[in-house]
C-alpha cells in the first residue's frame, strides 16, 4: 500500500489550455494536497483529476496515453475556459476548490476513505480564506534567540517569497517580500532554493542551490519596532 501525496488537475483536450489551467489552479490544488493525511491507495501515489466538458466523454480517453504514472484517474465535469475567463482570483480559487473536492470524493469512493477527512480539508481551506501560505525553509539563529522563516504565499499567478524573523516566543520582528516567481508549480521552487544559513546572530543568508541568487538579511532588533535595523542585500550572479 502507498500513500497519496499529490493531486494534479489535467485538461486532456488541449496542451496549451492544460498548461494555463494547471498554473492558475495550482495554488488551491497544492493547498489541498498539503493538508492530506495518510490516505492509502493500492499502488498509486497521487490523484489525477481529468477536467472534461461532459462525463459522457470519459470513455473516449485513453488513460494509458494521458495518465501520469502511478496516479489514479478520476473525472470531473468542468468548464475550463469559463474558470480561466474569471477576472477575480478569489473566484478562481473558489471554483478550483470545488473541482478538487469533487474529484477527491470520487477517489474516496474507490479507496474507501473516510469522507469526513476530506470535508475537514475543504472547510480548512475555506476558513483560511483560500490563502495558501507555507514555509519553504526554517532555521534558528546560533544564539537560539531568533528563527528565520522563508515563507511562500501561493497565489493564482505567482508564488511570492518572504523572509520573516521571529523571536523564540513567536513574536514577529519583521517580514519582507524577497521576490515572486510566475511558475506556480511549487515543486520547481523547492528544487531551485534550498540554502538558509545564519552567518552571525543578526545576519542570515537565503540562496538557491547553485548560490547564484543570494538574499542577505542584516537586522538588529530593538525594544521599539520603529528603531529596528533591517537591511536586505541581493546578490544575483
Amino acid at each position: 500500500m502507498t500513500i497519496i501525496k499529490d493531486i494534479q488537475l489535467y485538461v486532456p483536450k488541449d496542451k496549451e489550455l492544460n498548461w494555463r489551467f494547471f498554473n492558475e489552479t495550482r495554488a488551491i490544488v497544492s493547498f489541498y494536497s498539503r493538508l492530506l493525511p495518510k490516505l492509502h491507495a493500492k499502488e498509486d501515489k497521487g490523484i489525477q483529476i481529468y477536467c472534461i466538458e461532459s462525463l459522457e466523454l470519459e470513455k473516449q480517453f485513453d488513460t494509458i496515453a494521458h495518465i501520469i504514472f502511478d496516479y489514479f484517474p478520476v473525472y470531473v465535469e468542468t468548464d475550463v475556459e469559463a474558470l480561466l475567463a474569471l477576472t477575480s482570483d478569489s473566484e478562481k480559487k473558489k471554483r478550483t476548490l470545488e473541482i478538487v473536492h469533487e474529484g477527491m470524493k470520487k477517489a474516496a469512493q474507490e479507496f474507501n476513505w473516510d469522507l469526513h477527512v476530506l470535508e475537514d480539508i475543504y472547510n480548512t481551506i475555506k476558513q483560511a480564506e483560500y490563502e495558501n501560505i507555507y514555509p519553504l525553509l526554517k532555521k534558528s539563529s546560533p544564539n537560539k534567540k531568533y528563527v528565520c522563516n522563508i515563507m511562500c504565499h501561493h497565489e493564482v499567478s505567482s508564488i511570492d517569497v518572504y523572509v520573516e524573523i521571529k523571536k523564540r516566543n513567536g513574536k514577529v520582528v519583521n517580514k519582507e517580500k524577497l521576490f515572486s516567481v510566475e511558475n506556480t508549480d511549487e515543486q520547481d521552487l523547492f528544487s531551485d532554493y534550498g540554502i538558509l544559513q545564519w552567518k552571525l546572530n543578526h545576519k542570515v543568508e537565503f540562496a538557491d542551490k547553485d548560490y547564484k541568487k543570494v538574499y542577505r538579511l542584516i537586522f538588529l532588533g530593538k525594544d521599539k519596532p520603529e528603531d529596528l535595523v533591517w537591511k536586505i542585500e541581493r546578490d544575483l550572479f
Side-chain angles (χ1 to χ4, degrees), residues 25-58:
T25 58
R26 189 62 198 169
I28 295 301
V29 177
S30 72
F31 199 170
Y32 204 110
S33 298
R34 185 164 54 83
L35 296 177
L36 289 175
K38 292 183 178 180
L39 297 175
H40 293 278
K42 298 172 184 176
E43 298 178 353
D44 303 294
K45 64 182 181 182
I47 303 297
Q48 185 175 3
I49 301 175
Y50 281 65
C51 299
I52 56 179
E53 296 173 354
S54 171
L55 293 180
E56 295 178 356
L57 300 173
E58 177 180 340

Side-chain angles (χ1 to χ4, degrees), residues 154-216:
H154 204 149
E155 301 297 339
V156 168
S157 57
S158 69
I159 301 178
D160 302 328
V161 180
Y162 289 77
V163 59
E164 175 187 79
I165 298 294
K166 284 186 176 182
K167 293 183 178 180
R168 295 297 296 182
N169 62 10
K171 184 177 180 181
V172 176
V173 175
N174 201 15
K175 179 178 180 179
E176 185 173 337
K177 181 177 174 180
L178 295 177
F179 61 89
S180 293
V181 291
E182 293 183 358
N183 182 355
T184 59
D185 187 347
E186 72 284 358
Q187 295 304 321
D188 289 339
L189 184 65
F190 295 160
S191 297
D192 290 343
Y193 287 87
I195 298 173
L196 180 63
Q197 52 188 353
W198 288 84
K199 297 298 185 179
L200 298 167
N201 288 323
H202 295 87
K203 181 178 179 181
V204 61
E205 287 185 351
F206 167 56
D208 64 357
K209 293 179 180 178
D210 296 325
Y211 230 78
K212 292 182 177 179
K213 298 177 182 179
V214 183
Y215 299 85
R216 186 177 302 106

Side-chain angles (χ1 to χ4, degrees), residues 10-183:
Y10 179 63
V11 182
K13 75 172 186 177
D14 185 284
K15 288 184 178 180
E16 186 175 339
L17 195 64
N18 174 64
W19 181 243
R20 184 183 169 197
F21 190 70
F22 175 91
N23 283 335
E24 296 192 24
T25 58
R26 189 62 198 169
I28 295 301
V29 177
S30 72
F31 199 170
Y32 204 110
S33 298
R34 185 164 54 83
L35 296 177
L36 289 175
K38 292 183 178 180
L39 297 175
H40 293 278
K42 298 172 184 176
E43 298 178 353
D44 303 294
K45 64 182 181 182
I47 303 297
Q48 185 175 3
I49 301 175
Y50 281 65
C51 299
I52 56 179
E53 296 173 354
S54 171
L55 293 180
E56 295 178 356
L57 300 173
E58 177 180 340
K59 295 180 180 179
Q60 298 181 16
F61 294 109
D62 179 3
T63 55
I64 300 300
H66 291 278
I67 193 170
I68 304 173
F69 182 68
D70 283 343
Y71 276 62
F72 181 79
V74 295
Y75 297 82
V76 174
E77 193 167 293
T78 309
D79 191 336
V80 172
E81 293 179 352
L83 186 149
L84 293 175
L86 292 170
T87 57
S88 167
D89 284 356
S90 177
E91 285 301 315
K92 285 183 179 178
K93 290 179 179 181
K94 291 176 182 178
R95 295 273 189 95
T96 301
L97 178 58
E98 298 304 324
I99 294 168
V100 176
H101 192 51
E102 184 177 345
M104 289 303 292
K105 287 191 292 184
K106 290 186 175 184
Q109 293 175 354
E110 176 70 24
F111 296 113
N112 197 29
W113 297 333
D114 185 353
L115 284 174
H116 288 97
V117 171
L118 300 182
E119 291 298 329
D120 287 344
I121 295 174
Y122 176 80
N123 290 324
T124 296
I125 294 173
K126 292 181 71 174
Q127 289 166 9
E129 297 182 342
Y130 306 88
E131 293 299 320
N132 186 13
I133 301 173
Y134 51 87
L136 174 61
L137 295 167
K138 176 181 180 180
K139 187 168 286 189
S140 297
S141 61
N143 63 7
K144 306 301 181 183
K145 290 185 177 181
Y146 300 99
V147 177
C148 179
N149 295 301
I150 303 300
M151 303 297 297
C152 298
H153 291 231
H154 204 149
E155 301 297 339
V156 168
S157 57
S158 69
I159 301 178
D160 302 328
V161 180
Y162 289 77
V163 59
E164 175 187 79
I165 298 294
K166 284 186 176 182
K167 293 183 178 180
R168 295 297 296 182
N169 62 10
K171 184 177 180 181
V172 176
V173 175
N174 201 15
K175 179 178 180 179
E176 185 173 337
K177 181 177 174 180
L178 295 177
F179 61 89
S180 293
V181 291
E182 293 183 358
N183 182 355

